[in-house]
Amino acid sequence: MLESLLEITDAEAAVDRTGKMEAKNQAMDFIHEVGWLLHGSQLKSRLGHLDPNSEPFSLRRFKWLMEFSMDHEWCAVVKKLLNVLLDGVVGSGEHPSLNLALTEMGLLHRAVRKNCRPLVELLLRFIPEKGSSRLGLENEMAAGGIHESFLFRPDALGPSGLTPLHIAAGKDDSEDILDALTDDPGKVIPYSFISERSRKGT
């Protein structure tokens, strides 16, 4: 956790000038940036649009916070960041909508590449606490009790044209990840993909 990074002494940093010191600086940057983000979120919840200084938090800075959290496999922090994003505190940057900005981040693809099942399951089951309308989602149940507001799908195409399923299928020791992806609560698994893998015995 962050404590181990922040407790690096000057003597330790002197021995490893690049690695440990850089890690400590990144931890400090993370705390600083999260503080600004949560401060903005708190102001918005209290003042709404009445806040005269309601500049949206930079999407670039938010992406760094998300990547840092995912690299450290902090599921609770990732969930909190997603809800803050959908609460309208973060700007969409050069993207016309938050939906496109979120898609461009490729969070589920990143979790699969890390081979981190807890993150994969968190994202597959994530339903916004609020703000789903900002993504054009309807917060209701579809036929069969399946929730329509799941943001992350195992069949979603990434920037390279690959889905999380394709990435997991091409990685060694990814059986747990494939199990999570094929057991997604949104029930959007392309069954032809699964059948093809079964036919080939892979």
Side-chain angles (χ1 to χ4, degrees):
M1 293 296 288
L2 282 176
E3 291 89 345
S4 61
L5 298 176
L6 296 175
E7 290 172 357
I8 295 174
T9 65
D10 292 339
E12 290 175 316
V15 174
D16 183 5
R17 292 182 180 276
T18 55
K20 290 184 177 180
M21 199 63 206
E22 182 178 354
K24 182 175 182 178
N25 289 337
Q26 286 184 343
M28 292 296 295
D29 289 342
F30 179 83
I31 292 174
H32 178 76
E33 291 290 271
V34 162
W36 276 111
L37 177 63
L38 296 181
H39 176 69
S41 178
Q42 186 179 44
L43 282 179
K44 185 178 185 301
S45 66
R46 289 169 51 193
L47 303 177
H49 297 294
L50 298 178
D51 181 11
N53 301 312
S54 57
E55 280 290 323
F57 191 82
S58 163
L59 179 64
R60 178 184 57 81
R61 293 161 66 191
F62 178 85
K63 286 172 63 177
W64 182 83
L65 288 174
M66 181 63 79
E67 290 169 1
F68 189 89
S69 300
M70 293 194 71
D71 287 345
H72 288 79
E73 301 181 6
W74 295 336
C75 292
V77 178
V78 169
K79 183 178 180 179
K80 177 64 177 179
L81 289 175
L82 285 171
N83 279 312
V84 170
L85 171 70
L86 299 179
D87 196 27
V89 179
V90 181
S92 59
E94 61 187 18
H95 303 282
S97 69
L98 272 181
N99 191 17
L100 290 176
L102 194 58
T103 300
E104 192 268 341
M105 291 183 203
L107 300 184
L108 184 56
H109 292 73
R110 190 182 189 94
V112 170
R113 288 191 178 96
K114 284 188 62 62
N115 214 27
C116 180
R117 180 163 185 163
L119 277 176
V120 169
E121 291 181 333
L122 166 72
L123 294 172
L124 288 174
R125 287 161 175 73
F126 177 78
I127 297 174
E129 293 177 358
K130 52 186 175 178
S132 59
S133 60
R134 303 187 74 231
L135 294 170
L137 299 171
E138 296 297 331
N139 194 24
E140 57 187 27
M141 302 299 286
I146 299 171
H147 210 290
E148 290 186 337
S149 294
F150 292 110
L151 296 184
F152 303 98
R153 299 165 53 105
D155 63 342
L157 291 176
S160 59
L162 297 177
T163 69
L165 275 169
H166 286 107
I167 295 172
K171 286 174 59 68
D172 294 331
D173 302 320
S174 62
E175 290 80 6
D176 279 354
I177 302 300
L178 281 170
D179 286 344
L181 291 172
T182 54
D183 189 33
D184 74 296
K187 307 300 181 187
V188 295
I189 296 299
Y191 291 102
S192 59
F193 179 89
I194 301 172
S195 299
E196 181 67 12
R197 282 182 53 82
S198 298
R199 184 180 66 80
K200 292 181 178 179
T202 58

